[in-house]
Amino acid sequence: MNTLSSMPNTEANKVQLIVLIACFNAKQDMLLLKRKPDAHCAGLWSLPGGKVDGDEMPLQAAVRELKEETGLHGKRWRHLGKTSYIYESCSLQFIIFVCQCNDTLNFKPESEPIWMKREQFNDYPMPKANEKIIPMLKMPEIDAYLKGKS
């Protein structure tokens, strides 16, 4: 049996649990951050997020990561979905959340930010792992969420 749970935990096959946050402002623009030069997929655009630490629950990690990376406090948190992606160097399991950050007074991003419309995804190069996430962000349920109907 060759499952991830029976394989040695080496860097090449280690599964990392990652939370990503689709954060929307009052104009219904979504936040992307440019990945730092020393980060995996450096220079590409991505949703705020990061690794789930220890015994942390995914939503706790999402709230923490958003605050650490942007200084923002999200409201109306919702679980959007999950997906995975395998790079040569690691396997990533993503849990995606959506939230609203209408109050951006304390916005202090740790890397270059852009607030964009969901139709602008093609304008910002993103990691290959995001190919499965983008369709989730275009679902009609997101429109309902942004209108306050979910």
Side-chain angles (χ1 to χ4, degrees):
M1 181 167 86
N2 191 13
T3 65
L4 285 176
S5 61
S6 65
M7 295 170 67
N9 193 15
T10 64
E11 283 302 310
N13 59 31
K14 182 179 177 183
V15 177
Q16 295 179 349
L17 184 58
I18 306 290
V19 292
L20 294 175
I21 303 104
C23 176
F24 291 91
N25 66 14
K27 297 178 185 176
Q28 299 185 354
D29 295 333
M30 190 177 71
L31 177 63
L32 292 180
L33 299 174
K34 195 168 205 177
R35 298 190 53 83
K36 293 180 180 181
D38 60 343
H40 184 259
C41 297
L44 298 179
W45 295 91
S46 187
L47 299 169
K51 296 176 187 171
V52 176
D53 292 336
D55 292 334
E56 197 174 36
M57 297 299 293
L59 180 56
Q60 291 172 313
V63 170
R64 175 184 53 76
E65 287 287 348
L66 183 65
K67 179 153 178 30
E68 287 175 3
E69 293 187 7
T70 67
L72 296 174
H73 295 278
K75 297 189 184 306
R76 295 187 60 230
W77 286 89
R78 301 287 186 275
H79 175 254
L80 182 60
K82 63 182 179 175
T83 188
S84 60
Y85 191 83
I86 299 173
Y87 286 103
E88 277 188 34
S89 60
C90 63
S91 295
L92 304 176
Q93 179 74 41
F94 295 103
I95 299 175
I96 302 99
F97 291 94
V98 61
C99 73
Q100 287 190 300
C101 293
N102 293 339
D103 179 6
T104 57
L105 185 61
N106 294 319
F107 184 49
K108 294 182 179 103
E110 66 178 18
S111 61
E112 183 181 343
I114 187 76
W115 290 96
M116 56 158 256
K117 299 290 182 200
R118 288 183 294 148
E119 301 80 37
Q120 295 178 294
F121 279 113
N122 293 338
D123 297 343
Y124 300 95
M126 301 175 104
K128 290 285 269 180
N130 289 20
E131 288 176 0
K132 294 180 181 178
I133 297 166
I134 292 170
M136 290 182 204
L137 297 167
K138 293 181 176 181
M139 294 187 311
E141 291 82 358
I142 297 294
D143 295 322
Y145 170 84
L146 292 171
K147 292 175 184 171
K149 296 181 179 177
S150 74

